[in-house]
Amino acid sequence: MTVTFVALWLFAIVLGSTAVVALIWAIGSGQFRNINQGAKVIFDEDEPIGETTDSFPIENKTTWSN
Amino acid sequence: MVELNNQTETNADDTRDPVDVQLNAERVAEIDASCRQVVLLWYASAVFWLLTGSILALIASIKMHLPGFLADAEWLTFGRVRPAHLNTMIYGWASMSGIGTALWLLSRLTKQRLVWREALYLVGLYWNALVAVGTIAILAGHGTSVEWLEFPWWSSIPIAVGFFVINAVTFKMLATRRVEHLYISLWYLFGATIWFPFLYLGGTLLIHFGFAQGMAKMTANWWFAHNVLGLWLTPIGLASAYYLIPKVIGRPIHSYYLSILGFWTLAIFYNWAGTHHLIGGPVPAWVVTVGVVGSMMMFVPVITVAINHHLTMVGHFKKLKFSPTLRFTVFGAMSYTAVSVQGSLTALRTVNETTHFTHYTIAHSHLGVYAFFTMVAFGAMYYILPRLVEREWISSKLILTHFWCTAIGMTIYWVGLTWAGIEQGLMMNNPDIPFLDIVQRMVPYLFSRSIAGILMTIGHFAFAILVWKMLRREGQWLTGPTLFRRGEKISAEMEGAVE
């Protein structure tokens, strides 16, 4: 019983500290500089802001003929 | 309609350089193409397990109100079918579709081709074999009776190898990424693929090799099981929603600050929450209290995600009508808020006193894994598959069937069982009510669950047909690699071609 609890808490603490390490890395490496620009990285010239990129297919009777 | 088409072609405000557009489209198409075989394998397998899991679920559900149903087949007794359903859904459907989506998102967001494709393909086959063997073992009566880890150890522990390959791929792609900034979805994916393999290995070793016994085993069990949702399915689902909602409507996330805050608070609080499953159990009170506190702290990431997704969508709700991806993803994202708020409240001892060990919990877990994760996974597959196969979905009607069957089915499921659970809990807390009265009182609700299950299964078969036709490349060609039928799409909207 004790062994399990110790193991579980150790696990929780180790995983928790990886989050802290990652956070420190992120701050140090400038991930949070110009933070609002980050939101735009998923858009590019091909699929710019303001353009929808998904729609229902059009029901087309000739789908299989060509 | 024609006018509008011309307008898009000769849009005077469009200052984009056509060469840049072409180059970008080609680069993205190349990245998508690198994912093709691997992601298609993981996705197709996921859909197979979805169908298998649905049928197992239906059998289990019908048995609850028709105990004689298939009662002669020992392979299909409730105690075997139910865990077989759970494990095929978690390790077959949810994990495999989640990994498919994660691999595609990783490639797109780090702007590079998918790495180690042969290895990932083999791992896909290996994973399928283990889930198949594990499911058959459960049906044959070799389940472990430890919820969420019912596969016997010789099937369960080797799956960890698969998780660690995904873990290594993530590290590799992080190291060789071609972008400086890590988009919020990447953080969630790293969270899932870097933490969960260790949780999985830790959980399976503790439980299968007898390090944990008695209540300690249950503690390990619920700590692990809650983390399957919290640190594996949730971050993958949110990564997908954080990419697809802004991408589909063409508008950046409302508040990037909030999204970052949401990730870090989830990272720090979620892995503490699992012990709230043991409220009222014979464990030290502080173990449970830590879980309750962790659950309450989850309000922070949940509220940030809810505000963010809602404010990103504001003014664009009309687009739900035109985009299958958006419909499923937004349904899932809204359910994430609902399930998390419900979960935090359920973790309070006063609420738990009534709802624990009732149908309420079953409704809650389906709200999480189905209404949230599964719907988001459907949304992602509707977006990703056409880009991998370069064909269009064959039928809007089938997509609509899929959506309405699953959405209505899930709603009936949740309302029926939540109500049933509250009633059941109140009745069970009253010692004057004979137990059999409670059992009989539940029958109509259980019947509604089977109806809901049938609806969802119909939806899944509609989806399976769509995916099958997609894999057979029977849809129309997409006109360009990722230049996704720009003109026609708008005309479709104007015509109201949908519904």
Side-chain angles (χ1 to χ4, degrees), chain B residues 381-400:
Chain B
M381 291 166 89
Y382 275 116
Y383 194 81
I384 295 169
L385 278 169
R387 283 159 176 78
L388 296 179
V389 181
E390 299 185 348
R391 300 296 168 106
E392 188 52 273
W393 292 104
I394 56 149
S395 161
S396 288
K397 289 196 185 82
L398 277 175
I399 300 177
L400 288 169

Side-chain angles (χ1 to χ4, degrees), chain B residues 127-433:
Chain B
W127 192 294
N128 272 317
L130 287 171
V131 175
V133 169
T135 307
I136 292 168
I138 291 175
L139 291 175
H142 300 297
T144 62
S145 309
V146 179
E147 211 170 347
W148 296 62
L149 277 177
E150 277 105 338
F151 287 161
W153 68 267
W154 40 264
S155 156
S156 186
I157 291 176
I159 291 180
V161 176
F163 279 117
F164 276 97
V165 172
I166 306 300
N167 176 286
V169 165
T170 310
F171 271 111
K172 168 82 178 155
M173 294 195 79
L174 176 62
T176 56
R177 71 186 193 278
R178 293 196 180 161
V179 284
E180 195 44 51
H181 179 80
L182 300 177
Y183 185 65
I184 183 66
S185 296
L186 280 176
W187 282 104
Y188 277 110
L189 291 177
F190 292 142
T193 54
I194 291 174
W195 289 319
F196 191 70
F198 293 95
L199 285 164
Y200 185 84
L201 189 66
T204 44
L205 291 180
L206 273 174
I207 284 170
H208 288 309
F209 288 152
F211 295 117
Q213 294 291 339
M215 271 319 287
K217 189 172 182 177
M218 291 300 101
T219 311
N221 178 8
W222 284 109
W223 167 77
F224 167 79
H226 204 82
N227 278 329
V228 176
L229 184 69
L231 289 178
W232 177 240
L233 303 182
T234 298
I236 295 178
L238 289 181
S240 168
Y242 263 122
Y243 181 78
L244 290 174
I245 293 177
K247 189 74 177 161
V248 168
I249 66 176
R251 179 194 204 182
I253 279 291
H254 173 77
S255 164
Y256 205 61
Y257 289 100
L258 277 184
S259 69
I260 304 271
L261 178 69
F263 171 75
W264 288 102
T265 44
L266 178 132
I268 288 161
F269 300 133
Y270 218 150
N271 91 78
W272 302 84
T275 49
H276 67 216
H277 285 269
L278 303 170
I279 294 173
V283 279
W286 64 270
V287 173
V288 174
T289 303
V290 168
V292 175
V293 173
S295 309
M296 295 315 285
M297 294 308 288
M298 280 304 294
F299 268 121
V300 180
V302 169
I303 290 171
T304 60
V305 169
I307 292 176
N308 224 348
H309 284 169
H310 183 76
L311 290 180
T312 307
M313 277 302 291
V314 162
H316 294 262
F317 281 101
K318 221 173 49 197
K319 288 177 181 160
L320 288 175
K321 196 169 176 199
F322 306 121
S323 162
T325 300
L326 202 59
R327 265 194 208 202
F328 282 97
T329 310
V330 168
F331 186 100
M334 287 178 166
S335 305
Y336 173 66
T337 311
V339 72
S340 305
V341 169
Q342 192 197 14
S344 293
L345 295 177
T346 308
L348 293 171
R349 285 184 168 89
T350 38
V351 179
N352 214 265
E353 202 177 274
T354 306
T355 61
H356 207 177
F357 300 123
T358 70
H359 295 304
Y360 178 95
T361 310
I362 318 299
H364 175 63
S365 61
H366 281 77
L367 192 63
V369 178
Y370 196 92
F372 162 48
F373 181 81
T374 296
M375 293 303 256
V376 169
F378 287 142
M381 291 166 89
Y382 275 116
Y383 194 81
I384 295 169
L385 278 169
R387 283 159 176 78
L388 296 179
V389 181
E390 299 185 348
R391 300 296 168 106
E392 188 52 273
W393 292 104
I394 56 149
S395 161
S396 288
K397 289 196 185 82
L398 277 175
I399 300 177
L400 288 169
T401 310
H402 178 206
F403 178 76
W404 288 113
C405 283
T406 49
I408 295 172
M410 185 57 226
T411 309
I412 296 177
Y413 191 104
W414 187 79
V415 171
L417 285 194
T418 301
W419 191 264
I422 295 170
E423 238 180 75
Q424 189 186 14
L426 291 172
M427 288 170 96
M428 287 202 296
N429 285 350
N430 179 355
D432 296 334
I433 300 177

Side-chain angles (χ1 to χ4, degrees), chain A:
Chain A
M1 187 97 169
T2 326
V3 177
T4 315
F5 282 133
V6 171
L8 289 184
W9 292 114
L10 265 182
F11 234 109
I13 288 163
V14 169
L15 289 175
S17 43
T18 60
V20 175
V21 170
L23 183 59
I24 292 168
W25 172 82
I27 295 168
S29 68
Q31 288 293 327
F32 301 136
R33 261 176 245 143
N34 288 328
I35 196 166
N36 277 326
Q37 287 305 309
K40 294 174 187 154
V41 299
I42 57 171
F43 301 99
D44 56 26
E45 286 84 352
D46 171 39
E47 293 177 333
I49 292 172
E51 192 165 290
T52 4
T53 59
D54 185 60
S55 68
F56 275 95
I58 299 164
E59 297 288 356
N60 189 338
K61 301 285 181 294
T62 60
T63 303
W64 290 290
S65 63
N66 48 0

